[in-house]
Amino acid sequence: MATDLKRITRGELICWQLRHRGQTVVIAEQGAQVLEYGRDDEPPILWLSEQAAYYIGHGVRGGVPVCWPWFGALERNPESVAQQYTLSEPPAHGLVRQQPWQLGEQHLNDNQAQLVFQLAEHADGQHLPPVTPTLTVALSNTALTLTLSNHNHGDHPVTISQALHSYLAVADSRHVTVQGLTQSPYVDALADWQTRQDTGPLQLDQETDRLYLQLPAQLQVMDPLWQRQIQLSCRGSRSAVVWNPWIEKSQRLSQFAPDAWQRMLCIETARVLDNVLTLAPGEHHEMAVEIMTIQ
């Protein structure tokens, strides 16, 4: 069968496994988090920690967590985002990563398989803005596309920051290069949030935590050891976060093996800093990333 959808479990988490044209994607209902994506008989395309733990109310390390309605630490967001919340201890990366979502629409045919997730009716909406987020997970014959949609159903403008926190699988992060960043300024979160710019393709040789702005529509991760490139094609976004914890920080991360930094690289399609998203009443917006490999 070209397309197959199954309800499965990972530990305590209810998940959906979608197979289409030699590809498999697994999505947890908690957080609408994509956990796995790959093609038959090839290395994985998304990285999932070997120490991943699947518990209700706890995030899973790897895949693509949805960061919404803010990214990172709330206090590091622009005032237009941060001023909307009065939480005493706001969690990192927003309010929906550990919330229950549910599978709504599904469209399965020979050319494409598409699943639409929305916050479950019993999700805790106490602190959420009057914006409805949905995540569409689609497999074409060659790629995975994730679309984070927002609809402001309130009567006032709402500003959010957000990210699709993609953990990409690589053979060895010390040997990959990222192309497409050279013309784009970035804010270095490890250098007192200074603004800088690359002079060539990015090659990792230390802990990296950068928020890139004014990005082109496509980025490429060149992986010579696996003889492939991962191509990211984005729309509705001009910013992305590039992150790798490297050696020292890896010792302190949960669900993260001490050497796992070698096998992953995060490039997170985002709306951050001066690229945050402001929605007028009734406005709808989509941010999407297509992830595919080229041999």
Side-chain angles (χ1 to χ4, degrees), residues 66-70 93-96 128-129 131 133 148 150 160-162:
V66 176
C67 305
W68 186 97
W70 66 78
H93 293 320
L95 297 169
V96 300
L128 297 179
V131 176
L148 181 57
N150 291 286
I160 62 175
S161 64
Q162 62 183 15

Side-chain angles (χ1 to χ4, degrees), residues 170-212:
V170 296
D172 189 328
S173 60
R174 296 166 294 187
H175 295 279
V176 302
T177 57
V178 184
Q179 297 185 347
L181 302 172
T182 308
Q183 303 301 318
S184 302
Y186 67 87
V187 174
D188 194 334
L190 301 177
D192 200 26
W193 295 78
Q194 297 180 49
T195 300
R196 297 175 172 177
Q197 190 158 341
D198 291 324
T199 57
L202 174 63
Q203 294 180 289
L204 302 181
D205 59 7
Q206 59 185 333
E207 181 182 350
T208 302
D209 192 354
R210 301 177 177 182
L211 293 79
Y212 281 86

Side-chain angles (χ1 to χ4, degrees), residues 68-95 127 159-161 193 273 276:
W68 186 97
W70 66 78
F71 173 82
L74 180 59
E75 65 269 19
R76 278 294 182 181
N77 277 260
E79 183 65 20
S80 59
V81 175
Q83 69 182 359
Q84 299 172 115
Y85 306 95
T86 57
L87 296 168
S88 59
E89 296 183 4
H93 293 320
L95 297 169
H127 301 292
T159 301
I160 62 175
S161 64
W193 295 78
L273 299 179
V276 294

Side-chain angles (χ1 to χ4, degrees), residues 45-60:
I45 298 169
L46 293 178
W47 177 84
L48 179 65
S49 174
E50 304 92 335
Q51 299 182 4
Y54 307 98
Y55 296 110
I56 294 172
H58 297 273
V60 180

Side-chain angles (χ1 to χ4, degrees), residues 102-106 115-118:
Q102 62 190 23
L103 175 59
E105 300 175 34
Q106 52 181 280
L115 307 178
V116 181
F117 292 85
Q118 58 200 33

Side-chain angles (χ1 to χ4, degrees), residues 226-246:
W226 275 346
Q227 299 181 351
R228 74 179 187 186
Q229 64 169 280
I230 300 177
Q231 180 172 281
L232 306 175
S233 302
C234 305
R235 61 178 174 86
S237 163
R238 294 292 310 279
S239 54
V241 180
V242 177
W243 179 71
N244 182 290
W246 215 246

